[in-house]
C-alpha cells in the first residue's frame, strides 16, 4: 500500500430497505455512527420478469448499491498526492442483512467478493452477513414497471452513453442481428437525458424491437458523497447488468470499452494501483465473472468485445454502421457536473483527449465540433 500510514478503518452497519415518501427505495446505513443513505430505482421492467428474479439477485443489487455508497462516504484525503498517499486505502467492516444468508456466508464466496473489491477499489472490505426478516422482503419497490409483452433480449449490454458502448450496441444490433437490452446506471441528472436521447435515436433508425433501455438510478443522499473517485461504481454497474441478464434468462453481460482505456496504463509515475481506474480492466471483468458465477451457482460470462480495438477503430465502427451523425450526441467527459449545453466536454480530462484524438484520426471531426469542448485540444 502507498504511504506509511495504515488504512483508515470504518465501521459500517447496513439496514434492511424501506420505501421513502416518494416511493423510491431507500437503503440506509451508518458509517462510524453517522447516518447515510442511497436511493435505488430501476425503470422499464416487467412484473413477470421481476417476479422470476431469485432472492440472491436482489441481495446482489442491494449489496452493490451499499458498496457504492460506502465507497463514496469516506474521503481518500483530497486531491494532493501527499494526502492521497496516506489516505487512499481504507478498511470497511460491514454488517449487512441479506435474504440468502447461507449463500453469502460461504467462505469461498466471501473471499472472492472481498478480493474483487480490493482489486477494484484498493480498499479492504470485510463483511458480516445477517438474516433479513421475511417481512422486509420488498424487492418490487425498486422497480418502475412497463406493460407486459413478450420481448426478450439476446444480449445484455452496459450502456453509458459514450462512444464505445454506443458502437457496441450498433454492432450487436446491425451486424449480429441481436436484440439488445441496454443497461444504464446514472447518479447525475445530466447523464440520464443523454442516454435516453441516444436510445431514442437508435429506436428511430433500427426499430423498437431491436433494443430496450433499462435506466437504473442510484443516487447518494445529501451528505453521503464525500469521495468523488467512485472506484467501486463498476461493481454496481456490473451487478445491475448481471441481475437483469439473469432476470431475462441470459448468462452474459457485455462491457464495450476500447483496450487502451480498459487497461488504463498509468500516465505518470505516481498513478499506480487503483489510482488508475480498473473499471473494465481484464482482471476486473474476470473477477466479476467468477464472483457472479458463484453467487448464482451457474457459469456466467462478463466480457469486453472491444478489448483489442483502439478508440479510433471504435469511432470508425460507428461511421461504418451508418451512424456517424450520432457521434455528437454521445458523451465521454469525466467532468459531468460542469457540463453545459454549449460545452458538453471539458476538453482536458483523459476521456476528452482520447475522444478528440480518435475522432480526428478517423477524419470525422465534422461530427464532433471543436466548439463542444471548453478547452480545445489544439489551441488550449
Amino acid at each position: 500500500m502507498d504511504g506509511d500510514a495504515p488504512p483508515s478503518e470504518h465501521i459500517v452497519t447496513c439496514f434492511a430497505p424501506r420505501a421513502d415518501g416518494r416511493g423510491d427505495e431507500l437503503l440506509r446505513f451508518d458509517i462510524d455512527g453517522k447516518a447515510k443513505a442511497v436511493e435505488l430505482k430501476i425503470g422499464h421492467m416487467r412484473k413477470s420478469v421481476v417476479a422470476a428474479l431469485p432472492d440472491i439477485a436482489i441481495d446482489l443489487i442491494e449489496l452493490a448499491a451499499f458498496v457504492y455508497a460506502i465507497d463514496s462516504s469516506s474521503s481518500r484525503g483530497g486531491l494532493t498526492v501527499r494526502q492521497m498517499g496516506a489516505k487512499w486505502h481504507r478498511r470497511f467492516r460491514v454488517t449487512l442483512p441479506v435474504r440468502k444468508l447461507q449463500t453469502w456466508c460461504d467462505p469461498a464466496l466471501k473471499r472472492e467478493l472481498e478480493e474483487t473489491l480490493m482489486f477494484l477499489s484498493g480498499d479492504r472490505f470485510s463483511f458480516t452477513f445477517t438474516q433479513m426478516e421475511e417481512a422486509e422482503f420488498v424487492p418490487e419497490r425498486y422497480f418502475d414497471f412497463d406493460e407486459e409483452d413478450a420481448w426478450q433480449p439476446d444480449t445484455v449490454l452496459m450502456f453509458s452513453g459514450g462512444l464505445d458502448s454506443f458502437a457496441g450496441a450498433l454492432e450487436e444490433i446491425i451486424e449480429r442481428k441481436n436484440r439488445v437490452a441496454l443497461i444504464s446506471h446514472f447518479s447525475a441528472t445530466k447523464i440520464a437525458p443523454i442516454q435516453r436521447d441516444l436510445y431514442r435515436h437508435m429506436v428511430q433508425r433500427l426499430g423498437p424491437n431491436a433494443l430496450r433501455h433499462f435506466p437504473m438510478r442510484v443516487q447518494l443522499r445529501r451528505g453521503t458523497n464525500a469521495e468523488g473517485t467512485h472506484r467501486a461504481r463498476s461493481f454496481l454497474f456490473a451487478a445491475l447488468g448481471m441481475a437483469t441478464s439473469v432476470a431475462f434468462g441470459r448468462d452474459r453481460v457485455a462491457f464495450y470499452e476500447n483496450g487502451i482505456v480498459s487497461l488504463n496504463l498509468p500516465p505518470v509515475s505516481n498513478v499506480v494501483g487503483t489510482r488508475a481506474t480498473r473499471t473494465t480492466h481484464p482482471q476486473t471483468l474476470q473477477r466479476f465473472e467468477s464472483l457472479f458465477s458463484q453467487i448464482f451457482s451457474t457459469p456466467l460470462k462478463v466480457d469486453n468485445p472491444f478489448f483489442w480495438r483502439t478508440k479510433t477503430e471504435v469511432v470508425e465502427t460507428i461511421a461504418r454502421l451508418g451512424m456517424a451523425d450520432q457521434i455528437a450526441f454521445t458523451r465521454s467527459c469525466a467532468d459531468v457536473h460542469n457540463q453545459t449545453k454549449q460545452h458538453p466536454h471539458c476538453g482536458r480530462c483523459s476521456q476528452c483527449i482520447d475522444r478528440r484524438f480518435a475522432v480526428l484520426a478517423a477524419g470525422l471531426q465534422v461530427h464532433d465540433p471543436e466548439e463542444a469542448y471548453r478547452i480545445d485540444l489544439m489551441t488550449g
Side-chain angles (χ1 to χ4, degrees):
M1 290 186 178
D2 301 333
D4 297 325
S8 58
E9 183 165 303
H10 305 278
I11 306 301
V12 183
T13 303
C14 301
F15 303 102
R18 72 180 187 191
D20 72 4
R22 296 178 302 164
D24 289 341
E25 198 66 19
L26 186 64
L27 296 174
R28 300 168 298 119
F29 63 100
D30 287 349
I31 181 166
D32 301 329
K34 297 179 180 179
K36 307 289 182 180
V38 59
E39 297 175 20
L40 174 63
K41 203 67 173 181
I42 300 171
H44 303 308
M45 294 293 284
R46 300 197 306 265
K47 282 191 175 182
S48 59
V49 172
V50 173
L53 268 177
D55 284 342
I56 195 70
I58 303 298
D59 279 345
L60 174 61
I61 291 171
E62 291 171 351
L63 167 66
F66 273 126
V67 166
Y68 168 66
I70 292 165
D71 172 35
S72 304
S73 298
S74 175
S75 173
R76 293 187 187 270
L79 297 177
T80 67
V81 172
R82 181 179 178 183
Q83 288 176 309
M84 277 193 165
K87 297 184 178 181
W88 179 263
H89 300 282
R90 303 160 300 179
R91 182 188 295 272
F92 299 105
R93 299 190 181 277
V94 183
T95 302
L96 194 152
V98 293
R99 296 161 181 80
K100 305 297 288 184
L101 182 62
Q102 185 175 356
T103 299
W104 291 106
C105 287
D106 177 79
L109 191 152
K110 281 185 66 177
R111 183 170 57 252
E112 187 80 40
L113 171 63
E114 292 168 0
E115 289 179 356
T116 296
L117 294 177
M118 177 65 182
F119 178 80
L120 183 63
S121 68
D123 298 317
R124 293 191 181 277
F125 283 81
S126 177
F127 290 96
T128 299
F129 295 105
T130 61
Q131 182 64 54
M132 186 184 295
E133 296 295 327
E134 188 170 352
E136 296 167 332
F137 286 20
V138 287
E140 291 82 4
R141 295 179 184 172
Y142 292 130
F143 300 92
D144 284 329
F145 294 110
D146 277 355
E147 294 182 3
E148 292 290 319
D149 63 20
W151 188 88
Q152 290 282 337
D154 301 304
T155 297
V156 174
L157 185 150
M158 311 312 295
F159 184 68
S160 66
L163 287 168
D164 296 68
S165 61
F166 179 58
L170 296 179
E171 199 165 275
E172 289 279 359
I173 296 167
I174 297 173
E175 290 194 339
R176 301 192 181 117
K177 310 301 182 185
N178 284 331
R179 293 184 301 273
V180 175
L182 302 177
I183 310 302
S184 295
H185 155 241
F186 68 93
S187 55
T189 55
K190 291 182 180 180
I191 292 298
I194 302 303
Q195 297 167 346
R196 187 168 57 245
D197 289 347
L198 276 174
Y199 167 68
R200 288 172 178 168
H201 292 159
M202 284 190 282
V203 167
Q204 290 171 1
R205 298 279 189 91
L206 306 173
N209 195 50
L211 67 163
R212 295 285 174 88
H213 185 213
F214 300 92
M216 304 185 180
R217 180 172 62 84
V218 182
Q219 195 159 23
L220 301 167
R221 277 292 180 96
R222 181 172 295 181
T224 301
N225 193 5
E227 175 55 50
T229 54
H230 300 306
R231 288 296 185 262
R233 177 162 46 193
S234 66
F235 175 60
L236 170 63
F237 202 18
L240 292 169
M242 187 54 74
T244 305
S245 184
V246 168
F248 279 112
R250 298 294 177 258
D251 61 1
R252 172 179 176 254
V253 167
F255 283 81
Y256 276 85
E257 190 81 83
N258 71 85
I260 304 301
V261 170
S262 184
L263 284 174
N264 199 19
L265 299 173
V268 292
S269 60
N270 64 350
V271 179
V272 295
T274 53
R275 290 186 192 171
T277 60
R278 293 172 170 174
T279 302
T280 58
H281 190 282
Q283 191 172 154
T284 297
L285 300 189
Q286 186 278 325
R287 287 177 179 272
F288 286 164
E289 183 173 290
S290 176
L291 175 63
F292 295 153
S293 296
Q294 288 188 57
I295 290 171
F296 290 101
S297 301
T298 190
L300 298 171
K301 187 174 183 180
V302 181
D303 64 357
N304 177 9
F306 276 0
F307 180 74
W308 296 108
R309 298 194 198 181
T310 65
K311 193 79 165 186
T312 299
E313 290 170 331
V314 168
V315 174
E316 290 170 342
T317 296
I318 296 173
R320 174 171 53 81
L321 296 175
M323 300 284 271
D325 60 321
Q326 299 299 303
I327 289 173
F329 297 99
T330 64
R331 295 291 181 269
S332 303
C333 185
D335 189 10
V336 174
H337 294 289
N338 290 316
Q339 289 179 5
T340 65
K341 289 184 178 180
Q342 183 181 2
H343 300 299
H345 292 95
C346 72
R348 63 183 182 181
C349 70
S350 61
Q351 290 92 326
C352 282
I353 293 171
D354 286 343
R355 175 191 177 100
R356 196 81 173 107
F357 271 123
V359 171
L360 290 169
L364 294 168
Q365 57 268 30
V366 67
H367 299 295
D368 194 43
E370 62 185 40
E371 293 81 11
Y373 295 81
R374 184 177 295 110
I375 297 175
D376 185 74
L377 178 65
M378 300 304 171
T379 60

